[in-house]
Amino acid sequence: MNAHEEEIEITGALRRGLGLNRRQFLAATTGIAAATAVAVTGGTGRAAHAATTPNGVLIPPPRRGIILYTVRDAVSRDPNSTSLPSGFRRVFEELGRIGYRQIEFAGYGQHANAEGGASLESVEGARLLRGWLDDNGLRAQGNHGFIPGSWPFTQADLDRFKRHLEIANILGMDHMGTGNDPTSSPYKADWDVAAEKWNALGAIARDAGIKLYTHNHDVAYSFLLDSGPLDAQGRPTRSSGVRRLEYFLSISDPKLVYLEMDIFWAHVAQFKHRTYTAPDGSVATDVFDPLAVVRPDTKRFPLFHAKDGRSNPATGNGYDMVPFGTGDIDYAAFFRGVGAKGSHNPMYEQDNAPGGTANPAQSLQYADVSYANMAALRG
């Protein structure tokens, strides 16, 4: 393949008719402009994305996924009120047309008027979903679903957790997890309890043939309060410099508990959580490196949230969420650095993708743009 042919492969049909090279295209497909470009060109479609993949591709076609939270507006809208894809079945058809091959659920609810009804959180509902996934060349890879809140578990919580494992197996998932941190506490003792709880859940999931995973927001990579003077409740007020989720990784069983790194929130942690008060009262600086956390134990991170951000130091998070491939997070360097090529499952996510009444098609348009940029990622 010569350079010209590779350029065509990289940019696909999104460039077509726009007269842009790859660099110009990536600069242009930002925010609303990105969705507008897709609308003008009529979408990329599976055929445009399914061309021969050259060497150096960082996310192989079978691994390109999306969490349905990104298109939650489409899943939940009334199909009787619009011609846009609505409900699980029609959204699966559109995502399959775009080229996605993996799905991460964010629950099993949809609009009551959609085929199958409001809730598909049942054995029968899972069988219906599995048929629609199969029809569109999609595979369920995970779910942000139910994790018992109590510890020790109540019988009702345990029964519901096992029912979710049964649903996961019907859907063909290798993984089941949550969109929350193991605990929101800053204290070491609470993370000790979280690890005990997750080890127990992980053993139940393993017996069902499922890998259990947790998810991070930026605060999970802030510093653990584990030392220094105690407060009035007997809790530590300072840190030895260990980050919360890294501590959890070190004390939970690597054969039972897995992680889905949200790469956007990990970079927000790099921006926000840079200093801590050491046991002696001094202020220490330690800049977080997401890749350095993943690389030594890369297969413990079977899923990623591929959520992009454009740098904006004026905001509290340091980044604005944008379609994948249109921000400043160096995804090429990240996926090149994690190793174990072909063993990870990146799920495109964008919390602010829904366009509301002003642009109800936006989330699926962003999904189209983001798939093209995911396919274009080269090492």
Side-chain angles (χ1 to χ4, degrees):
M1 176 178 289
N2 62 37
H4 178 65
E5 291 169 334
E6 184 169 355
E7 181 185 15
I8 293 173
E9 162 62 20
I10 289 172
T11 56
L14 283 175
R15 281 182 58 239
R16 201 170 296 135
L18 296 177
L20 303 179
N21 62 32
R22 179 176 182 270
R23 183 178 299 278
Q24 291 167 330
F25 170 77
L26 291 176
T29 53
T30 57
I32 297 297
T36 304
V38 176
V40 169
T41 58
T44 57
R46 181 180 303 164
H49 294 314
T52 302
T53 301
N55 291 335
V57 66
L58 288 172
I59 305 176
R63 299 282 180 173
R64 297 169 191 162
I66 182 172
I67 180 169
L68 295 180
Y69 183 72
T70 302
V71 292
R72 60 195 180 277
D73 59 327
V75 172
S76 63
R77 67 182 156 221
D78 184 352
N80 296 336
S81 67
T82 179
S83 61
L84 294 169
S86 306
F88 282 118
R89 185 172 189 174
R90 300 308 174 195
V91 169
F92 289 167
E93 290 174 357
E94 179 64 9
L95 295 176
R97 183 199 67 79
I98 289 170
Y100 287 102
R101 289 295 172 264
Q102 302 216 86
I103 292 294
E104 186 179 20
F105 282 90
Y108 302 115
Q110 61 175 355
H111 195 278
N113 289 336
E115 186 174 350
S119 177
L120 296 177
E121 188 181 309
S122 64
V123 168
E124 295 76 14
R127 289 172 179 154
L128 199 59
L129 287 168
R130 178 62 185 269
W132 297 339
L133 289 167
D134 290 347
D135 288 346
N136 292 285
L138 297 167
R139 181 178 180 184
Q141 194 58 260
N143 178 41
H144 282 194
F146 174 73
I147 298 294
S150 60
W151 176 251
F153 308 126
T154 66
Q155 190 59 50
D157 276 355
L158 197 56
D159 289 344
R160 186 180 176 193
F161 179 70
K162 290 179 178 178
R163 185 168 69 253
H164 271 255
L165 289 169
E166 182 181 10
I167 289 170
N169 272 316
I170 293 170
L171 289 169
M173 293 181 189
D174 291 331
H175 313 90
M176 190 181 84
T178 175
N180 296 319
D181 299 318
T183 174
S184 60
S185 171
Y187 301 111
K188 175 180 177 294
D190 293 327
W191 284 88
D192 290 335
V193 172
E196 185 180 3
K197 171 184 168 180
W198 275 78
N199 282 340
L201 291 172
I204 296 169
R206 178 195 58 189
D207 291 346
I210 302 289
K211 292 179 179 179
L212 185 70
Y213 67 92
T214 184
H215 178 272
N216 68 275
H217 295 90
D218 68 279
V219 71
Y221 285 115
S222 64
F223 296 98
L224 193 70
L225 295 180
D226 59 357
S227 58
L230 304 182
D231 65 14
Q233 287 75 45
R235 300 171 302 191
T237 59
R238 296 175 183 171
S239 179
S240 62
V242 176
R243 296 179 188 271
R244 301 181 191 184
L245 198 53
E246 290 181 82
Y247 177 68
F248 178 81
L249 273 172
S250 71
I251 62 172
S252 57
D253 190 330
K255 296 180 180 178
L256 300 176
V257 180
Y258 297 83
L259 283 94
E260 173 184 64
M261 177 179 276
D262 187 306
I263 301 168
F264 173 89
W265 289 118
H267 280 75
V268 170
Q270 185 180 69
F271 174 81
K272 289 175 62 175
H273 306 298
R274 303 169 71 91
T275 62
Y276 62 92
T277 302
D280 63 1
S282 63
V283 176
T285 299
D286 180 18
V287 180
F288 182 56
D289 182 353
L291 183 56
V293 172
V294 177
R295 188 188 288 119
D297 198 9
T298 187
K299 290 192 176 181
R300 202 173 179 187
F301 293 80
L303 293 93
F304 292 108
H305 272 185
K307 181 189 299 179
D308 211 345
R310 187 180 303 119
S311 180
N312 183 359
T315 69
N317 289 330
Y319 292 90
D320 296 323
M321 289 184 197
V322 294
F324 183 86
T326 69
D328 300 319
I329 295 174
D330 192 344
Y331 272 97
F334 185 89
F335 285 122
R336 187 169 60 244
V338 294
K341 183 179 178 181
S343 67
H344 301 101
N345 302 284
M347 303 290 171
Y348 158 59
E349 184 182 39
Q350 188 178 343
D351 299 3
N352 60 358
T357 56
N359 190 354
Q362 178 175 280
S363 65
L364 285 168
Q365 290 169 344
Y366 279 176
D368 206 333
V369 169
S370 296
Y371 181 89
N373 288 337
M374 187 178 285
L377 210 58
R378 298 291 186 270

